Amino acid sequence: MVIATQAPPPITSLRSEELREWLEAHGQPAFRARQVRGWLARGAASFEEMHDLPAGLRADLTASFRLSSLEPVTESAADRGLTSKLLYRLDGGYTVESVTMRYPRRTTLCISSQVGCPIGCPFCATGQGRFGRNLKAHEILDQALDAARRLAPTGRRLSHVVFMGMGEPMANYAAVVESVRLLADPDLLGISPRRIVVSTAGLVPRIVQLAGEKLPVTLAISLHAARDDLRDYLVPINRRYPLAELVRTARDFARTTGRRVSYEWVVLAGVNDSERDADELGKLLDPYLSHVNLIPWNPVDDTEFRGPSRDSLTRFADRIRSRGLNVTVRDTRGREADAACGQLRARAMKAELVPEGNGLEPSEGSSL
Ligand code: SAH
Ligand code: SF4
């Protein structure tokens, strides 16, 4: 009879006290935990590489743990190598994507928090597929550690993280908050929460909870419509948490945390880009506490939606601006050659639209 041998656990799945206990049980002082984690953050590709650890410990670690829970499946590059998309296999077989975007003074990673998404927005490729499962905190962290590992030889560090990949982060709340704390851990990557954007379709109770976490992340709300009947269709969770309640909660979040909220608006030609939409948005949002990011829709197969023309996008942005709101627009069409990077990458682009003052630099692409 063949007995399947189980893969050892990823070292990142151990909490820091668990790692210290493991080290202690192997006759090692507590400070080794910090050394090991420092190596993970600096991009070590194996335990053997951690040369300031005793050889016996390196061998024990190699026998007991994997370096990461993620197995890279494919990597594709775009923008002359400035953008790279990784597809990973998780334990159990599901796959998720993450995208690294290199800019002159920062490097942003767009990460996934779930396999698929239970919200089911009709314009979104992830929403069209079946929901798989929540990612664990270490599976979210491992996306960042792997990106850091790939960046290390080029002398780049990961500076920003956006939860704009697959999934609804607020529907996997505990793991997402834990992963934010891990990303911020100075013994690991030390990415300030101010440089982390959590994007949500609007799970009101979780936004309230997040405001109480003392975690100064940037909140992005995927609005896409400023009247309930349209938003009920575009973002179905709106039927449970309608606009007035969502915007009130986001405003409270901004007041409690002192951090301006970002409102995402995927522009769908003929659906949510009319003068009426601009008026409704102007009435709904408070200019001092909000910033609107317009994102031209990135085509998804088997849907009826269309992206806006450049002119109509400019007109829509101007209309919103004339209602007193701060607006940023990203034109992604110059990069259509990279369409293979698909929707996930389009979302990562939006991260560059988050307004100044929240740790991100202003957009560097062609803003309208
Ligand atoms: N579920 C969360 C975070 C992941 S989606 C949320 O919805 O906020 C991140 C962003 O990508 C959202 O603003 C979402 O509306 C947007 N998005 C989804 N599909 C898109 C597409 N085809 N083109 C452009 N943006 C898209
Ligand atoms: Fe889920 Fe966000 Fe896609 Fe909506 S847009 S289906 S919430 S991933």
PDB file of all heavy atoms in Angstrom, residues 114 116-128 164-169 199-201 222 224 234-237 343 347, ligand 2:
ATOM      1  N   GLN A 114      -9.634  35.915  -1.615  1.00  0.00           N
ATOM      2  CA  GLN A 114     -10.515  34.750  -1.725  1.00  0.00           C
ATOM      3  C   GLN A 114     -10.299  34.095  -3.088  1.00  0.00           C
ATOM      4  O   GLN A 114      -9.852  34.754  -4.032  1.00  0.00           O
ATOM      5  CB  GLN A 114     -11.996  35.174  -1.652  1.00  0.00           C
ATOM      6  CG  GLN A 114     -12.411  35.825  -0.348  1.00  0.00           C
ATOM      7  CD  GLN A 114     -13.901  36.143  -0.321  1.00  0.00           C
ATOM      8  OE1 GLN A 114     -14.434  36.736  -1.243  1.00  0.00           O
ATOM      9  NE2 GLN A 114     -14.567  35.723   0.744  1.00  0.00           N
ATOM     10  N   GLY A 116     -12.299  33.173  -6.073  1.00  0.00           N
ATOM     11  CA  GLY A 116     -13.632  33.584  -6.510  1.00  0.00           C
ATOM     12  C   GLY A 116     -14.167  34.640  -5.567  1.00  0.00           C
ATOM     13  O   GLY A 116     -13.418  35.201  -4.760  1.00  0.00           O
ATOM     14  N   CYS A 117     -15.464  34.936  -5.685  1.00  0.00           N
ATOM     15  CA  CYS A 117     -16.060  35.971  -4.836  1.00  0.00           C
ATOM     16  C   CYS A 117     -17.553  35.706  -4.693  1.00  0.00           C
ATOM     17  O   CYS A 117     -18.229  35.454  -5.688  1.00  0.00           O
ATOM     18  CB  CYS A 117     -15.824  37.343  -5.458  1.00  0.00           C
ATOM     19  SG  CYS A 117     -16.577  38.672  -4.487  1.00  0.00           S
ATOM     20  N   PRO A 118     -18.073  35.771  -3.473  1.00  0.00           N
ATOM     21  CA  PRO A 118     -19.499  35.481  -3.280  1.00  0.00           C
ATOM     22  C   PRO A 118     -20.434  36.630  -3.654  1.00  0.00           C
ATOM     23  O   PRO A 118     -21.646  36.450  -3.644  1.00  0.00           O
ATOM     24  CB  PRO A 118     -19.584  35.197  -1.767  1.00  0.00           C
ATOM     25  CG  PRO A 118     -18.435  35.938  -1.158  1.00  0.00           C
ATOM     26  CD  PRO A 118     -17.362  36.021  -2.203  1.00  0.00           C
ATOM     27  N   ILE A 119     -19.895  37.809  -4.003  1.00  0.00           N
ATOM     28  CA  ILE A 119     -20.777  38.974  -4.207  1.00  0.00           C
ATOM     29  C   ILE A 119     -21.459  38.935  -5.580  1.00  0.00           C
ATOM     30  O   ILE A 119     -22.617  39.323  -5.716  1.00  0.00           O
ATOM     31  CB  ILE A 119     -20.000  40.307  -4.023  1.00  0.00           C
ATOM     32  CG1 ILE A 119     -19.233  40.325  -2.681  1.00  0.00           C
ATOM     33  CG2 ILE A 119     -20.923  41.516  -4.147  1.00  0.00           C
ATOM     34  CD1 ILE A 119     -20.097  40.361  -1.438  1.00  0.00           C
ATOM     35  N   GLY A 120     -20.720  38.510  -6.605  1.00  0.00           N
ATOM     36  CA  GLY A 120     -21.366  38.300  -7.908  1.00  0.00           C
ATOM     37  C   GLY A 120     -21.717  39.543  -8.701  1.00  0.00           C
ATOM     38  O   GLY A 120     -22.780  39.602  -9.331  1.00  0.00           O
ATOM     39  N   CYS A 121     -20.853  40.539  -8.746  1.00  0.00           N
ATOM     40  CA  CYS A 121     -21.110  41.722  -9.578  1.00  0.00           C
ATOM     41  C   CYS A 121     -21.078  41.300 -11.063  1.00  0.00           C
ATOM     42  O   CYS A 121     -20.138  40.603 -11.478  1.00  0.00           O
ATOM     43  CB  CYS A 121     -20.053  42.794  -9.322  1.00  0.00           C
ATOM     44  SG  CYS A 121     -19.904  43.224  -7.576  1.00  0.00           S
ATOM     45  N   PRO A 122     -22.073  41.729 -11.856  1.00  0.00           N
ATOM     46  CA  PRO A 122     -22.195  41.183 -13.211  1.00  0.00           C
ATOM     47  C   PRO A 122     -21.102  41.619 -14.186  1.00  0.00           C
ATOM     48  O   PRO A 122     -20.910  40.975 -15.213  1.00  0.00           O
ATOM     49  CB  PRO A 122     -23.563  41.710 -13.680  1.00  0.00           C
ATOM     50  CG  PRO A 122     -23.846  42.895 -12.826  1.00  0.00           C
ATOM     51  CD  PRO A 122     -23.179  42.628 -11.509  1.00  0.00           C
ATOM     52  N   PHE A 123     -20.388  42.710 -13.865  1.00  0.00           N
ATOM     53  CA  PHE A 123     -19.346  43.215 -14.784  1.00  0.00           C
ATOM     54  C   PHE A 123     -17.967  42.649 -14.462  1.00  0.00           C
ATOM     55  O   PHE A 123     -16.987  42.974 -15.126  1.00  0.00           O
ATOM     56  CB  PHE A 123     -19.276  44.753 -14.694  1.00  0.00           C
ATOM     57  CG  PHE A 123     -18.985  45.224 -13.279  1.00  0.00           C
ATOM     58  CD1 PHE A 123     -17.683  45.312 -12.821  1.00  0.00           C
ATOM     59  CD2 PHE A 123     -20.032  45.514 -12.406  1.00  0.00           C
ATOM     60  CE1 PHE A 123     -17.424  45.696 -11.517  1.00  0.00           C
ATOM     61  CE2 PHE A 123     -19.777  45.896 -11.101  1.00  0.00           C
ATOM     62  CZ  PHE A 123     -18.464  45.976 -10.648  1.00  0.00           C
ATOM     63  N   CYS A 124     -17.873  41.806 -13.425  1.00  0.00           N
ATOM     64  CA  CYS A 124     -16.568  41.390 -12.903  1.00  0.00           C
ATOM     65  C   CYS A 124     -16.310  39.912 -13.200  1.00  0.00           C
ATOM     66  O   CYS A 124     -17.170  39.068 -12.924  1.00  0.00           O
ATOM     67  CB  CYS A 124     -16.548  41.645 -11.391  1.00  0.00           C
ATOM     68  SG  CYS A 124     -15.186  40.858 -10.528  1.00  0.00           S
ATOM     69  N   ALA A 125     -15.142  39.631 -13.748  1.00  0.00           N
ATOM     70  CA  ALA A 125     -14.820  38.243 -14.111  1.00  0.00           C
ATOM     71  C   ALA A 125     -14.815  37.336 -12.878  1.00  0.00           C
ATOM     72  O   ALA A 125     -15.321  36.211 -12.928  1.00  0.00           O
ATOM     73  CB  ALA A 125     -13.458  38.195 -14.808  1.00  0.00           C
ATOM     74  N   THR A 126     -14.270  37.838 -11.774  1.00  0.00           N
ATOM     75  CA  THR A 126     -14.232  37.016 -10.552  1.00  0.00           C
ATOM     76  C   THR A 126     -15.654  36.707 -10.088  1.00  0.00           C
ATOM     77  O   THR A 126     -15.956  35.586  -9.667  1.00  0.00           O
ATOM     78  CB  THR A 126     -13.476  37.743  -9.419  1.00  0.00           C
ATOM     79  OG1 THR A 126     -12.198  38.132  -9.906  1.00  0.00           O
ATOM     80  CG2 THR A 126     -13.297  36.858  -8.207  1.00  0.00           C
ATOM     81  N   GLY A 127     -16.520  37.717 -10.185  1.00  0.00           N
ATOM     82  CA  GLY A 127     -17.903  37.552  -9.736  1.00  0.00           C
ATOM     83  C   GLY A 127     -18.687  36.566 -10.587  1.00  0.00           C
ATOM     84  O   GLY A 127     -19.699  36.015 -10.144  1.00  0.00           O
ATOM     85  N   GLN A 128     -18.229  36.340 -11.811  1.00  0.00           N
ATOM     86  CA  GLN A 128     -18.926  35.407 -12.699  1.00  0.00           C
ATOM     87  C   GLN A 128     -18.609  33.958 -12.371  1.00  0.00           C
ATOM     88  O   GLN A 128     -19.388  33.053 -12.649  1.00  0.00           O
ATOM     89  CB  GLN A 128     -18.550  35.657 -14.168  1.00  0.00           C
ATOM     90  CG  GLN A 128     -18.804  37.065 -14.662  1.00  0.00           C
ATOM     91  CD  GLN A 128     -20.170  37.551 -14.284  1.00  0.00           C
ATOM     92  OE1 GLN A 128     -21.159  37.085 -14.822  1.00  0.00           O
ATOM     93  NE2 GLN A 128     -20.237  38.459 -13.321  1.00  0.00           N
ATOM     94  N   MET A 164      -7.120  44.274  -4.116  1.00  0.00           N
ATOM     95  CA  MET A 164      -7.996  44.488  -5.268  1.00  0.00           C
ATOM     96  C   MET A 164      -7.906  43.331  -6.241  1.00  0.00           C
ATOM     97  O   MET A 164      -8.252  43.455  -7.413  1.00  0.00           O
ATOM     98  CB  MET A 164      -7.620  45.795  -5.976  1.00  0.00           C
ATOM     99  CG  MET A 164      -7.947  47.022  -5.160  1.00  0.00           C
ATOM    100  SD  MET A 164      -7.685  48.507  -6.104  1.00  0.00           S
ATOM    101  CE  MET A 164      -8.141  49.766  -4.912  1.00  0.00           C
ATOM    102  N   GLY A 165      -7.386  42.221  -5.763  1.00  0.00           N
ATOM    103  CA  GLY A 165      -7.338  41.030  -6.602  1.00  0.00           C
ATOM    104  C   GLY A 165      -8.634  40.260  -6.475  1.00  0.00           C
ATOM    105  O   GLY A 165      -9.714  40.841  -6.341  1.00  0.00           O
ATOM    106  N   MET A 166      -8.538  38.956  -6.517  1.00  0.00           N
ATOM    107  CA  MET A 166      -9.761  38.145  -6.426  1.00  0.00           C
ATOM    108  C   MET A 166     -10.345  38.224  -5.019  1.00  0.00           C
ATOM    109  O   MET A 166      -9.622  38.153  -4.028  1.00  0.00           O
ATOM    110  CB  MET A 166      -9.434  36.689  -6.739  1.00  0.00           C
ATOM    111  CG  MET A 166      -9.046  36.451  -8.187  1.00  0.00           C
ATOM    112  SD  MET A 166      -8.330  34.820  -8.424  1.00  0.00           S
ATOM    113  CE  MET A 166      -9.780  33.789  -8.364  1.00  0.00           C
ATOM    114  N   GLY A 167     -11.666  38.348  -4.976  1.00  0.00           N
ATOM    115  CA  GLY A 167     -12.359  38.215  -3.699  1.00  0.00           C
ATOM    116  C   GLY A 167     -12.784  39.508  -3.049  1.00  0.00           C
ATOM    117  O   GLY A 167     -12.360  40.601  -3.433  1.00  0.00           O
ATOM    118  N   GLU A 168     -13.657  39.365  -2.058  1.00  0.00           N
ATOM    119  CA  GLU A 168     -14.157  40.497  -1.279  1.00  0.00           C
ATOM    120  C   GLU A 168     -13.481  40.429   0.103  1.00  0.00           C
ATOM    121  O   GLU A 168     -13.824  39.577   0.933  1.00  0.00           O
ATOM    122  CB  GLU A 168     -15.685  40.379  -1.174  1.00  0.00           C
ATOM    123  CG  GLU A 168     -16.325  41.273  -0.140  1.00  0.00           C
ATOM    124  CD  GLU A 168     -15.909  42.741  -0.214  1.00  0.00           C
ATOM    125  OE1 GLU A 168     -15.920  43.328  -1.298  1.00  0.00           O
ATOM    126  OE2 GLU A 168     -15.551  43.291   0.844  1.00  0.00           O
ATOM    127  N   PRO A 169     -12.505  41.319   0.326  1.00  0.00           N
ATOM    128  CA  PRO A 169     -11.724  41.213   1.577  1.00  0.00           C
ATOM    129  C   PRO A 169     -12.581  41.238   2.842  1.00  0.00           C
ATOM    130  O   PRO A 169     -12.293  40.546   3.810  1.00  0.00           O
ATOM    131  CB  PRO A 169     -10.789  42.419   1.534  1.00  0.00           C
ATOM    132  CG  PRO A 169     -10.894  43.011   0.190  1.00  0.00           C
ATOM    133  CD  PRO A 169     -12.049  42.413  -0.534  1.00  0.00           C
ATOM    134  N   SER A 199     -10.121  47.261  -0.453  1.00  0.00           N
ATOM    135  CA  SER A 199     -11.237  47.645  -1.318  1.00  0.00           C
ATOM    136  C   SER A 199     -12.432  46.739  -1.035  1.00  0.00           C
ATOM    137  O   SER A 199     -12.290  45.521  -0.957  1.00  0.00           O
ATOM    138  CB  SER A 199     -10.794  47.500  -2.780  1.00  0.00           C
ATOM    139  OG  SER A 199     -11.853  47.782  -3.657  1.00  0.00           O
ATOM    140  N   THR A 200     -13.604  47.341  -0.874  1.00  0.00           N
ATOM    141  CA  THR A 200     -14.784  46.532  -0.535  1.00  0.00           C
ATOM    142  C   THR A 200     -16.020  46.925  -1.335  1.00  0.00           C
ATOM    143  O   THR A 200     -16.200  48.098  -1.683  1.00  0.00           O
ATOM    144  CB  THR A 200     -15.107  46.632   0.979  1.00  0.00           C
ATOM    145  OG1 THR A 200     -16.294  45.865   1.251  1.00  0.00           O
ATOM    146  CG2 THR A 200     -15.340  48.067   1.420  1.00  0.00           C
ATOM    147  N   ALA A 201     -16.853  45.931  -1.576  1.00  0.00           N
ATOM    148  CA  ALA A 201     -18.134  46.172  -2.235  1.00  0.00           C
ATOM    149  C   ALA A 201     -19.129  46.813  -1.271  1.00  0.00           C
ATOM    150  O   ALA A 201     -20.192  47.266  -1.703  1.00  0.00           O
ATOM    151  CB  ALA A 201     -18.694  44.848  -2.761  1.00  0.00           C
ATOM    152  N   SER A 222     -16.169  50.309  -3.435  1.00  0.00           N
ATOM    153  CA  SER A 222     -16.544  50.140  -4.842  1.00  0.00           C
ATOM    154  C   SER A 222     -17.992  50.577  -5.003  1.00  0.00           C
ATOM    155  O   SER A 222     -18.908  49.816  -4.731  1.00  0.00           O
ATOM    156  CB  SER A 222     -16.365  48.678  -5.256  1.00  0.00           C
ATOM    157  OG  SER A 222     -14.995  48.356  -5.218  1.00  0.00           O
ATOM    158  N   HIS A 224     -19.722  52.551  -7.887  1.00  0.00           N
ATOM    159  CA  HIS A 224     -20.190  52.252  -9.251  1.00  0.00           C
ATOM    160  C   HIS A 224     -21.581  52.778  -9.592  1.00  0.00           C
ATOM    161  O   HIS A 224     -21.944  52.816 -10.768  1.00  0.00           O
ATOM    162  CB  HIS A 224     -20.156  50.751  -9.556  1.00  0.00           C
ATOM    163  CG  HIS A 224     -18.889  50.057  -9.171  1.00  0.00           C
ATOM    164  ND1 HIS A 224     -17.665  50.666  -9.234  1.00  0.00           N
ATOM    165  CD2 HIS A 224     -18.666  48.808  -8.689  1.00  0.00           C
ATOM    166  CE1 HIS A 224     -16.733  49.818  -8.823  1.00  0.00           C
ATOM    167  NE2 HIS A 224     -17.314  48.684  -8.482  1.00  0.00           N
ATOM    168  N   LEU A 234     -25.666  46.348 -10.060  1.00  0.00           N
ATOM    169  CA  LEU A 234     -24.223  46.291 -10.321  1.00  0.00           C
ATOM    170  C   LEU A 234     -23.441  45.665  -9.172  1.00  0.00           C
ATOM    171  O   LEU A 234     -22.437  44.982  -9.380  1.00  0.00           O
ATOM    172  CB  LEU A 234     -23.677  47.702 -10.605  1.00  0.00           C
ATOM    173  CG  LEU A 234     -24.105  48.357 -11.917  1.00  0.00           C
ATOM    174  CD1 LEU A 234     -23.531  49.765 -12.016  1.00  0.00           C
ATOM    175  CD2 LEU A 234     -23.674  47.513 -13.131  1.00  0.00           C
ATOM    176  N   VAL A 235     -23.870  45.937  -7.952  1.00  0.00           N
ATOM    177  CA  VAL A 235     -23.168  45.420  -6.767  1.00  0.00           C
ATOM    178  C   VAL A 235     -24.240  44.807  -5.850  1.00  0.00           C
ATOM    179  O   VAL A 235     -24.767  45.483  -4.963  1.00  0.00           O
ATOM    180  CB  VAL A 235     -22.393  46.543  -6.031  1.00  0.00           C
ATOM    181  CG1 VAL A 235     -21.489  45.970  -4.951  1.00  0.00           C
ATOM    182  CG2 VAL A 235     -21.578  47.392  -6.998  1.00  0.00           C
ATOM    183  N   PRO A 236     -24.592  43.550  -6.080  1.00  0.00           N
ATOM    184  CA  PRO A 236     -25.797  42.993  -5.449  1.00  0.00           C
ATOM    185  C   PRO A 236     -25.845  43.061  -3.914  1.00  0.00           C
ATOM    186  O   PRO A 236     -26.934  43.051  -3.348  1.00  0.00           O
ATOM    187  CB  PRO A 236     -25.788  41.530  -5.916  1.00  0.00           C
ATOM    188  CG  PRO A 236     -24.993  41.533  -7.186  1.00  0.00           C
ATOM    189  CD  PRO A 236     -23.964  42.625  -7.035  1.00  0.00           C
ATOM    190  N   ILE A 237     -24.712  43.218  -3.254  1.00  0.00           N
ATOM    191  CA  ILE A 237     -24.728  43.325  -1.784  1.00  0.00           C
ATOM    192  C   ILE A 237     -25.446  44.610  -1.359  1.00  0.00           C
ATOM    193  O   ILE A 237     -25.830  44.771  -0.195  1.00  0.00           O
ATOM    194  CB  ILE A 237     -23.280  43.268  -1.216  1.00  0.00           C
ATOM    195  CG1 ILE A 237     -23.236  43.043   0.304  1.00  0.00           C
ATOM    196  CG2 ILE A 237     -22.505  44.535  -1.533  1.00  0.00           C
ATOM    197  CD1 ILE A 237     -23.522  41.653   0.718  1.00  0.00           C
ATOM    198  N   GLN A 343      -8.312  41.338 -15.954  1.00  0.00           N
ATOM    199  CA  GLN A 343      -9.003  42.184 -15.017  1.00  0.00           C
ATOM    200  C   GLN A 343      -8.208  42.471 -13.761  1.00  0.00           C
ATOM    201  O   GLN A 343      -8.224  43.575 -13.235  1.00  0.00           O
ATOM    202  CB  GLN A 343     -10.295  41.487 -14.660  1.00  0.00           C
ATOM    203  CG  GLN A 343     -11.069  42.194 -13.612  1.00  0.00           C
ATOM    204  CD  GLN A 343     -12.159  41.301 -13.126  1.00  0.00           C
ATOM    205  OE1 GLN A 343     -12.204  40.134 -13.485  1.00  0.00           O
ATOM    206  NE2 GLN A 343     -13.013  41.844 -12.315  1.00  0.00           N
ATOM    207  N   ARG A 347      -7.375  46.134 -12.133  1.00  0.00           N
ATOM    208  CA  ARG A 347      -7.670  46.589 -10.773  1.00  0.00           C
ATOM    209  C   ARG A 347      -6.413  47.123 -10.107  1.00  0.00           C
ATOM    210  O   ARG A 347      -6.454  48.108  -9.390  1.00  0.00           O
ATOM    211  CB  ARG A 347      -8.175  45.432  -9.937  1.00  0.00           C
ATOM    212  CG  ARG A 347      -9.519  44.973 -10.370  1.00  0.00           C
ATOM    213  CD  ARG A 347      -9.918  43.897  -9.429  1.00  0.00           C
ATOM    214  NE  ARG A 347     -10.856  43.018 -10.065  1.00  0.00           N
ATOM    215  CZ  ARG A 347     -10.929  41.743  -9.809  1.00  0.00           C
ATOM    216  NH1 ARG A 347     -10.107  41.202  -8.953  1.00  0.00           N
ATOM    217  NH2 ARG A 347     -11.815  41.007 -10.395  1.00  0.00           N
TER     218      ARG A 347
HETATM  219 FE1  SF4 B   2     -16.458  40.410  -5.924  1.00  0.00          FE
HETATM  220 FE2  SF4 B   2     -15.318  42.795  -6.093  1.00  0.00          FE
HETATM  221 FE3  SF4 B   2     -15.744  41.286  -8.316  1.00  0.00          FE
HETATM  222 FE4  SF4 B   2     -17.824  42.384  -7.057  1.00  0.00          FE
HETATM  223  S1  SF4 B   2     -16.147  43.470  -8.078  1.00  0.00           S
HETATM  224  S2  SF4 B   2     -17.685  40.259  -7.774  1.00  0.00           S
HETATM  225  S3  SF4 B   2     -17.173  42.279  -4.945  1.00  0.00           S
HETATM  226  S4  SF4 B   2     -14.368  40.825  -6.642  1.00  0.00           S
END
